[in-house]
Amino acid sequence: MEQKKFDINSFIGMILLGGILLYWMNSNKTDETTDTEIKTEQVVSTSKNTTNTNTENKPVFESDSLKQIAFNNKLGLFAHSAINGVDGTSILENELVKLTINNKGGQIIEAQIKNYKTHDSLPLYMIKDKNASFNINFGTTDNRILNTKDLFFEPTISKNGESTIISMKLKVADSQFLEYRYEMKPNDYMVNFAVRSQGLSTVINSSNPINLDWSLKGYRHEKSLKTENTMYSYYYFKTEGEVDYLNAGKSDIINNVDWVAYKQHFFTSNLLTDTPFNNATVTATDLVKNEEIDTVYTKLYELKTPLTLSNGELNYNMKWFYGPSDYNLLKTFEGTNLEETADLGWGIFGFLNRTVFYPVFNFLKGFLSNFGLIIILMTIVVRIIMSPLVYKSYLSSAKMKVIRPELTALNEKYPGKENAMKRQQETMAIQRKAGVSMLSGCIPALLQMPVFFALFKFFPTNLALRQEGFLWAPDLSSYDIIFNLPFNIPFYGDHISLFPILASVAIFFYMKMNQSQQANMQAPTQEGMPDMGKMMKYMIYLSPVMMLFFFNNYASSLSLYYFVSNLLTIGIMLVIKNYVIDEDKIHAQIEENKKKPEKVKSKFRQKIDTAMKQAQEQQAQQKKK
């Protein structure tokens, strides 16, 4: 068998073939690396562009033919928005508020009130982490029901003078779209907001209802969950020119709605409209199941209302307001009545707060920065204004003290239930001749009650006091704590507040001092009637305890006011008793009054005397029978 010889030509060919193969593999790897670097540079460039324009853009998908067919089947005419939509956000911001608007849904997904913090010093958000939703539900002429919250809007940021505008467009085509237009001015909580469509008259099915849904779960912001959630958080709305509110757990259908406000004690989320909503359903739901458990959300607020087309298009001019529920701020929005959401009380209580207490407080605030001192000075002003009423009440007490021996003798002269009517007639005759009236002592006390209830609303809702400290209280808008209890006392709480204790001690000494005055104002106890003197003794001890329990979870500013107010009242009463009232002069004046001829009775007085005389005659006839 012949042995094969070495073939030099075959060996050279194999070397050349191996070299070609190595060259091709190395060249291919270089091309892949280059492609990867190019793609990385594109992503970085997009990211930089996002930072500059406050918009983060990332394609949701590629517009290949299969996906285009799928979205055409699902969204019909609005497939354009899904095919060209990008996931991202835009920022609308000024010195007061920061809004983050999502391309998906075109809605606000974050609303931060910049100059305020929560009770635990965190940034204060009205909207965050999907606690709110703004959606328009509508039908299309190609038989589809769509929700704007599921569709992608295309953002455009522009300037109009000093105002910043973000236009979010949900497009069918470049000339056919639904637009949400946001316009923010510098140093303004109010944001102009428009919902309008262009070229959609042949796209939106007018035979289907178009519904706007806006809901928000309110975050807890304050230390006292009880006061924030149950006493100062309501669903406000303006309808038929009047402002009304809705309690939690309620739902109502209303017409001609100019605005709705989701009020959360010191902060509020408002939607205002130039074209009133009709047949709107408003709902408030309490989300707090147990106040002792740390709570994230307090209430759920909901608005559901149909929108109407004008010439086949949507055209609504609205406004957003995310900001503090500050009376001084809200009253600057003239014609809106938004200041009524500041909750200053109804009737005369709100009138006193608006016309007396806020002007006095604002005046003092212009000179002092310590709000504890402002409250003390304000209390002094109020007590000085009310001192004539204290004087009138004490004067009536002194007069009743002078004629009390005569009234006691009258009770002895006409004893028994059978003489009750006669005894009452004679008592009134003595008081009339002496120029003394029971009402003259009661009326000054009653006139002070509106002040009490007005300030009960004024201090806990006054935003200027929020997180302002005084002495040991770090926040005058909430309760102070000197000791945390390891357990919870029903109706009292799990802590001890010092200002309510001081206020309770002050009211005890005030009532103790006032006891003799009240005893003088009362006629001697008649047979068959309750002993008012004994009841007053019980109230001396019961009232301070009630106040201690009631105010332990309330604003420390309110307890501070009542503490200082009672101290001042005690001082005023001591001055009146020791330096103003002269009982000898009062007695002499009463004796002079008795000598004067009795004044002509008024018609009302005559009717009362006639009725009492008839009752006395009937009583005598029954006695004879």
Side-chain angles (χ1 to χ4, degrees), residues 38-59 86-88:
I38 292 172
K39 289 180 180 178
T40 303
E41 290 175 1
Q42 289 174 344
V43 172
V44 171
S45 177
T46 302
S47 177
K48 290 180 179 179
N49 186 57
T50 297
T51 303
N52 293 333
T53 62
N54 292 323
T55 304
E56 181 184 349
N57 295 324
K58 183 177 68 176
V86 292
D87 193 6

Side-chain angles (χ1 to χ4, degrees), residues 172-201:
V172 171
D174 289 340
S175 60
Q176 293 177 287
F177 52 83
L178 172 67
E179 181 186 21
Y180 292 170
R181 186 178 186 274
Y182 301 84
E183 181 177 357
M184 176 181 283
K185 300 175 183 177
N187 285 301
D188 197 346
Y189 287 103
M190 195 73 76
V191 177
N192 291 327
F193 177 61
V195 176
R196 56 172 64 102
S197 63
Q198 178 178 306
L200 299 187
S201 58

Side-chain angles (χ1 to χ4, degrees), residues 227-383:
T227 54
E228 179 181 11
N229 188 48
T230 62
M231 302 202 66
Y232 302 109
S233 294
Y234 297 98
Y235 193 139
Y236 284 91
F237 51 86
K238 183 180 179 181
T239 175
E240 305 291 348
E242 299 292 334
V243 176
D244 203 350
Y245 68 94
L246 191 72
N247 285 314
K250 301 289 185 179
S251 183
D252 199 2
I253 299 176
I254 50 180
N255 292 318
N256 294 318
V257 181
D258 292 331
W259 52 257
V260 296
Y262 300 167
K263 167 74 180 303
Q264 299 171 241
H265 198 169
F266 286 114
F267 302 94
T268 181
S269 307
N270 296 7
L271 177 62
L272 303 87
T273 176
D274 290 349
T275 305
F277 300 137
N278 284 312
N279 201 35
T281 301
V282 292
T283 307
T285 307
D286 192 354
L287 301 179
V288 179
K289 304 303 180 184
N290 188 344
E291 291 184 357
E292 296 180 16
I293 300 175
D294 191 21
T295 302
V296 177
Y297 302 111
T298 56
K299 281 184 172 62
L300 170 63
Y301 303 94
E302 296 175 280
L303 167 69
K304 299 180 184 295
T305 182
L307 302 180
T308 58
L309 296 172
S310 176
N311 297 321
E313 303 285 356
L314 285 172
N315 190 9
Y316 280 81
N317 291 319
M318 306 182 193
K319 289 181 175 67
W320 289 111
F321 177 92
Y322 292 101
S325 182
D326 179 16
Y327 173 75
N328 290 324
L329 168 68
L330 295 176
K331 71 178 181 180
T332 62
F333 301 112
E334 297 180 0
T336 63
N337 297 118
L338 284 175
E339 68 273 10
E340 294 193 28
T341 64
D343 195 18
L344 301 184
W346 56 272
I348 189 173
F349 313 128
F351 174 79
L352 285 172
N353 281 327
R354 289 190 299 270
T355 59
V356 179
F357 298 126
Y358 255 104
V360 171
F361 183 85
N362 291 335
F363 174 78
L364 294 175
K365 190 170 65 172
F367 295 93
L368 295 172
S369 58
N370 188 308
F371 285 89
L373 294 179
I374 290 175
I375 292 172
I376 293 173
L377 287 176
M378 186 175 175
T379 309
I380 294 172
V381 171
V382 172
R383 283 292 93 195

Side-chain angles (χ1 to χ4, degrees), residues 91-156:
I91 304 297
L92 197 59
E93 182 177 12
N94 62 14
E95 298 82 356
L96 304 176
V97 64
K98 178 181 178 181
L99 303 180
T100 303
I101 303 168
N102 199 354
N103 291 354
K104 187 176 182 180
Q107 61 179 314
I108 299 170
I109 59 170
E110 284 189 3
Q112 180 188 1
I113 304 178
K114 299 175 67 172
N115 298 326
Y116 295 91
K117 301 288 185 181
T118 63
H119 69 95
D120 46 0
S121 301
L122 296 176
L124 198 148
Y125 286 91
M126 304 300 289
I127 299 177
K128 190 181 181 184
D129 296 334
K130 300 181 180 180
N131 71 313
S133 175
F134 182 85
N135 177 59
I136 296 178
N137 174 275
F138 61 97
T140 63
T141 53
D142 52 2
N143 297 321
R144 288 170 175 81
I145 303 298
L146 302 178
N147 293 287
T148 57
K149 65 180 181 180
D150 300 325
L151 304 175
F152 283 87
F153 289 66
E154 296 182 23
T156 303

Side-chain angles (χ1 to χ4, degrees), residues 22 44 53 71 104 116 126 166 280 321 328 340 366 454 462 464 476 482 510 513 552 575:
L22 289 172
V44 171
T53 62
F71 279 106
K104 187 176 182 180
Y116 295 91
M126 304 300 289
I166 294 182
F321 177 92
N328 290 324
E340 294 193 28
N462 192 329
L476 286 169
I482 58 169
Y510 163 72
M513 182 179 176
N552 193 59
V575 171

